[in-house]
Amino acid sequence: MPSIDLESEQGREEALRRMLTIRKFDTKVGEHFADGEIPGFVHLYVGEEAVGVGACAALEEDDYITSTHRGHGHCIAKGLDPNLMMAEVFGKREGYCNGKGGSMHIADMDANMLGANGIVGAGPPLGAGAALTINQKGEDRVALSFLGDGAVAQGQVHEAVNLASAWDLPLILLVENNQYGEGTPVSDQHNLEKLSDTAGAYDIPGIHVDGMDITAVNEAVAEAREHARNGKGPTFIEADTYRFHGHFEGDEELYRDEDEVEEWRKRDPITDFSERLIDRDELTEEKFEEMQAEIESEIEDAIAYAKDADEPVPEEAYDDMFSANVPDIERFVQQANARTDGGTHGGEF
Ligand SMILES: Cc1ncc(C[n+]2csc(CCOP(=O)(O)OP(=O)(O)O)c2C)c(N)n1
């Protein structure tokens, strides 16, 4: 069963709720960042909600995801708690990473969300690693890595796709083509009409979808998931989308004109989906407004939670730097030394 079944009325309502939660969460983050209350940088996901929610809805709870520097939407789509997320964004101790990660590094191993990442293109190697673990353990799940159009030019992305293809790893690469890598249009970054054509170089399926349409994204990820679970390896998906805000909050956006932004805003994925539900008589304008008010108040509560939360304490600065879940290092060294005894590469660790 997918985590949210878009075939059911209840599932469609939940998907709309998550899209609205992302929209409200990030809109509020933008406001509080402008007020100087949030440390660091924030990159908002407003406009891209159909990709995160459509994709995560097609996954099961125990599937892994990796994220990008624009990760709030992926976290909410995967079911993370907005209170703990907001506390993290505000740099507070109650946050997912005890306030040490901030906006760009929210992670929750319990939700199989392996982390947002400030290093462009760092998600796919993590996703490939998770997919390798799945295969080694003989598990029936998949890993999905979100990445941006800019990240497609990163070397480590190609290493990850190459290995995933060579070893038939259950990995889904989902490129959010929001048309710009910072201020560089996608056509100046790549000599490819479609980024999904990258798939051909690795002999894996490439799918190109409208990322403003939640159903199209959902179907593409469901297909890729089936492919991966059948032992056939990775799929490379490109979803065309658009960020309604600047690259980061405070960006002057000199690289694009307002008409272009307006054109894309007309294709707002939340308006599109809600109108479809209204046309099907599953939603009314009143219910939609009620839903928005409810979510607005949940996000106000998250802001209040974050503001009331404790500051991190300096004594804990070095905690959590390494996972407690490391193999027995002593045993590892002994085994490694035993293996090299008498070998041509001998020598002690
Ligand atoms: C390895 C690396 N190089 C450069 C940067 C600086 N940087 C931050 S975001 C960004 C653009 C990323 O564009 P894209 O992957 O398309 O994601 P988007 O911001 O459009 O979601 C760059 C170059 C970085 N964080 N990491």
Side-chain angles (χ1 to χ4, degrees), residues 123 171 340:
L171 177 67
T340 53

Side-chain angles (χ1 to χ4, degrees), residues 2-4 18 51-60 65 73-79 144 146 174 217-218 221:
S3 69
I4 297 178
R18 287 207 190 173
V51 186
V53 177
C56 289
L59 301 179
E60 294 194 19
I65 66 164
H74 306 142
C75 293
I76 291 171
K78 192 76 170 87
L144 179 146
F146 291 99
L174 177 40
V217 176
N218 185 257
V221 174

Side-chain angles (χ1 to χ4, degrees), residues 2 4-8 12 50-59 144 172 174 205-228 235-239 273 276 280:
I4 297 178
D5 180 10
L6 284 188
E7 300 282 316
S8 78
R12 287 189 286 273
V51 186
V53 177
C56 289
L59 301 179
L144 179 146
I172 302 168
L174 177 40
I207 307 178
H208 186 230
V209 286
D210 178 2
M212 303 309 253
D213 176 350
I214 185 172
T215 318
V217 176
N218 185 257
E219 284 170 1
V221 174
E223 188 182 323
R225 187 174 189 281
E226 242 352 80
H227 184 84
T235 298
F236 194 102
I237 304 172
E238 173 187 11
F273 192 44
R276 277 196 271 155
R280 297 168 72 129

Side-chain angles (χ1 to χ4, degrees), residues 43 48 68-70 118-120 147-152 154 156 176 178 180-182 189 243 247:
H43 306 77
E48 304 190 28
T68 66
H69 55 284
R70 201 176 297 288
I119 301 171
V120 169
L147 63 154
D149 43 274
V152 175
Q154 254 280 15
Q156 57 182 326
E176 303 183 307
N178 62 14
Y180 293 93
E182 292 204 14
Q189 301 175 52
R243 54 172 161 70
H247 170 65

Side-chain angles (χ1 to χ4, degrees), residues 23-60:
R23 178 70 54 96
K24 298 274 178 205
F25 185 97
D26 264 6
T27 305
K28 282 282 162 207
V29 166
E31 289 169 17
H32 288 270
F33 182 79
D35 289 344
E37 294 170 279
I38 293 174
F41 252 147
V42 292
H43 306 77
L44 305 187
Y45 199 65
V46 173
E48 304 190 28
E49 296 89 347
V51 186
V53 177
C56 289
L59 301 179
E60 294 194 19

